Amino acid sequence: MNAEIKARAACLIGWPAAHSRSPLIHHYWLRTLGIEGGYNIEAVPPEGFAEFVLHLSTHGFVGANVTIPHKERALALSMPDPRARAVGAANTLWYDAGELRSTNTDIEGFINNLDACAPRWDAATDALVLGAGGASRAVVFGLIERGIERVHLANRTLPRAQALADQFGANVHPVAWDAIGELLPRAGLLVNTTSLGMHGQPPLQIDTGRLPPHAVVADLVYVPLQTPLLAAAQARGLRTADGLGMLLHQAVRGFELWFGQRPQVTPELRALVEADLTKV
Ligand code: ATR
């Protein structure tokens, strides 16, 4: 086939790159929007990553998602936007006038999912974020950008929360893990960014009964789909936003950058990915 008329393709670069849901998501959008394009999985070891990324177009790709363990290297090897720089990691690459650019779409994935699941969640003045790893940086950046007045950041290892607060400024307040209980009554938004509650991990022990009645609870964990934290919040009638919603919303921007159309997160797409996550 003539290279000129070859369909556009993007890929996911990881090591290992197995069992990612990204191909399912992007193939759904390509199919439903009638776009002739592709989305491949590329397992690239750390020692081959720089060569692969610096010659992404030669490898046949207009852009890429990047996952573990390459996200920090991807940032260093491209021209990152302020979001990727703030998070310290890039998960989406694309070409802009021949230049390899990068961003981090976890921030908008988190915020757009909250907007979709719990409109007016940003009326909260106080948010309580649990965890201070990479995912937490994206969450905290998004909350500050949206104008949340106080972001309380609780982490098992307090110095990590302090380091994050130092980076993001006076609106972020690091707190010890055992201070969570006393902060719950004023948390209009509670976000779990830790691995607690994930399949195979201990549950997150939080008394959702102490949250105010208007509180919104978000969990980044999506295996299982409904974590014990989300189940408890829903049983109390609180609004929730789950990790799968964030995963779907964070994929939107990459697709738009590579294929030129902004796709929708539809109930049909969610059902498709849910079915894949729950199959044995
Ligand atoms: P990610 O990039 O997904 O955020 P990470 O950087 O490994 O992953 O961060 C994992 C987060 O889960 C951290 O905040 C971690 O707390 P520490 O900084 O103290 O390690 C938190 N976490 C993991 N297991 C935990 C546990 N058993 N109790 C409390 N927090 C835990």
Side-chain angles (χ1 to χ4, degrees), residues 130-136 154-158 160 177 193-196 201-202:
L130 311 180
S136 173
N155 198 49
R156 177 180 60 177
T157 313
L158 186 56
R160 285 188 89 191
W177 191 254
T193 77
T194 75
S195 47
L196 293 173
Q201 298 288 320

Side-chain angles (χ1 to χ4, degrees), residues 184 187-192 204 206-219 226-242:
L184 289 172
L189 175 70
L190 173 69
V191 188
N192 176 41
L204 179 59
I206 294 279
D207 181 4
T208 51
R210 298 188 68 182
L211 286 164
H214 58 268
V216 173
V217 177
D219 201 333
Q226 196 196 42
T227 60
L229 173 69
L230 293 180
Q234 282 162 14
R236 246 207 79 191
L238 302 179
R239 294 187 297 164
T240 58
D242 70 12

